[in-house]
Amino acid sequence: MIVCVAVVGHQNNPLYIQSFTDADDALKLHHIVHCSLDVVGERVNNPKKSGPTLNETFLGMLYPTENYEVYGYLTNTKVKFILVTTDLDVRDTDVRNFFRRFHAAYVDAVSNPFHVPGKKITSKTFAERMSTIVKSFGLSSAV
């Protein structure tokens, strides 16, 4: 089950964070997303140690915690997508598919002529689309 998704700008500024759990967990999930940025930075700056090639946008599992697994994705413009899930045995192909759909939704949201680049994403359409993607991810991973 996906518990949180986040979009983080190229200067590590949060552009969008949505949690799909109780309000009590929201602060903890924000902390997990913030901590994952260190791992993303390490993987981007030291590609030989971490494995993925420079052209690879999917960063894989960034790190596991006791209850969650954190996955990352980096766009060409250095915008980071973070996924926090409670499933401890998620297939990489499912996560890659999720990030592909997440990226398409993000591109649609920032293509809006009224969106200011580098500012928080406040689009209700984007939030609804993310909720739909998250719900469909839960169904596809259970099959």
Side-chain angles (χ1 to χ4, degrees):
M1 180 177 129
I2 295 175
V3 292
C4 182
V5 293
V7 178
V8 181
H10 68 282
Q11 296 177 336
N12 290 340
N13 53 324
L15 301 177
Y16 179 82
I17 296 179
Q18 183 175 0
S19 60
F20 299 96
T21 62
D22 299 333
D24 296 342
D25 290 342
L27 186 60
K28 179 170 54 171
L29 294 171
H30 284 240
H31 178 70
I32 289 171
V33 167
H34 183 72
C35 291
S36 68
L37 298 178
D38 292 336
V39 179
V40 171
E42 182 180 321
R43 290 202 182 173
V44 170
N45 294 329
N46 300 323
K48 291 180 183 174
K49 292 181 181 177
S50 60
T53 63
L54 292 174
N55 294 331
E56 180 68 38
T57 56
F58 177 62
L59 299 173
M61 184 172 63
L62 301 177
Y63 67 93
T65 66
E66 193 171 305
N67 300 322
Y68 306 110
E69 285 190 350
V70 183
Y71 293 88
Y73 182 92
L74 182 70
T75 68
N76 291 336
T77 57
K78 305 298 184 221
V79 173
K80 301 151 203 78
F81 298 153
I82 306 296
L83 166 68
V84 182
T85 181
T86 56
D87 290 338
L88 300 180
D89 57 346
V90 178
R91 295 181 307 177
D92 274 356
T93 54
D94 291 337
V95 178
R96 284 177 190 265
N97 186 34
F98 173 82
F99 278 126
R100 233 178 262 117
R101 294 175 66 193
F102 191 171
H103 194 176
Y106 169 77
V107 168
D108 288 346
V110 298
S111 295
N112 182 342
F114 298 107
H115 174 73
V116 179
K119 298 292 181 186
K120 290 190 183 257
I121 300 170
T122 57
S123 168
K124 290 180 183 176
T125 306
F126 179 71
E128 291 169 0
R129 191 164 171 193
M130 286 311 304
S131 294
T132 303
I133 292 170
V134 165
K135 287 177 187 170
S136 70
F137 178 80
L139 294 175
S140 67
S141 65
V143 173

